[in-house]
Amino acid sequence: QAALGGCFAVGAGVVQDEEEAVKLYRQAVGQGFAAAQHALGQCYAEGNGCVKNDVEAVRLYRLAAEQGFAGGQLSLGQCYLCGTGVAQHHEMAARFFTQAVAEAQMAFGICCMLGIGVVHDEKKVAWLFRKAAKQGFAAG
């Protein structure tokens, strides 16, 4: 549902239809899918396929962020940084940005561990995982 919604959002292989994208994202959000929560939040933030609603965007970003979805963490941090849909709060912005960084460090560490797109480097893996762990990422 979320992937098909993405196709409708940009017109990839189908006629672009932002309202259909929103409909499909909502179905996936109902199943708790973090990527769909983030995508639907972006729709509300930009008014694509629905009425622009920054408060609803923040609610959806928060759902995604609470599941550890880096996109949700980054978007929620930006909302706190700018005071969009939520009271401006720089410390909260920094908190969510830090969570997104830790998620990215873990993902890059896995790439280094498996040699995906980069040279296998065990020292870099340990360094990245340590950094993520110090930032509170449970899997680090």
Side-chain angles (χ1 to χ4, degrees), residues 22-69:
V22 166
K23 177 182 165 189
L24 290 162
Y25 289 149
R26 282 185 181 134
Q27 291 174 5
V29 164
Q31 297 174 41
F33 189 57
Q37 292 163 343
H38 181 252
L40 185 57
Q42 289 181 310
C43 291
Y44 276 106
E46 298 167 12
N48 293 335
C50 58
V51 175
K52 182 174 171 42
N53 184 333
D54 291 331
V55 173
E56 181 64 6
V58 167
R59 185 186 77 79
L60 290 158
Y61 292 155
R62 186 177 312 283
L63 290 173
E66 287 171 353
Q67 292 187 63
F69 188 74

Side-chain angles (χ1 to χ4, degrees), residues 75-89:
S75 294
L76 188 55
Q78 290 169 330
C79 290
Y80 275 111
L81 182 66
C82 300
T84 305
V86 68
Q88 189 175 45
H89 194 297

Side-chain angles (χ1 to χ4, degrees), residues 90-136:
H90 292 151
E91 290 81 11
M92 290 295 288
R95 178 178 146 214
F96 285 107
F97 290 150
T98 300
Q99 290 174 0
V101 167
E103 180 84 20
Q105 288 169 332
M106 284 298 300
F108 184 55
I110 291 169
C111 288
C112 292
M113 183 171 61
L114 301 175
I116 299 172
V118 295
V119 175
H120 173 80
D121 185 337
E122 291 181 10
K123 287 184 181 181
K124 188 176 279 185
V125 170
W127 179 76
L128 288 163
F129 288 175
R130 276 192 196 103
K131 284 185 68 89
K134 285 179 184 177
Q135 292 166 345

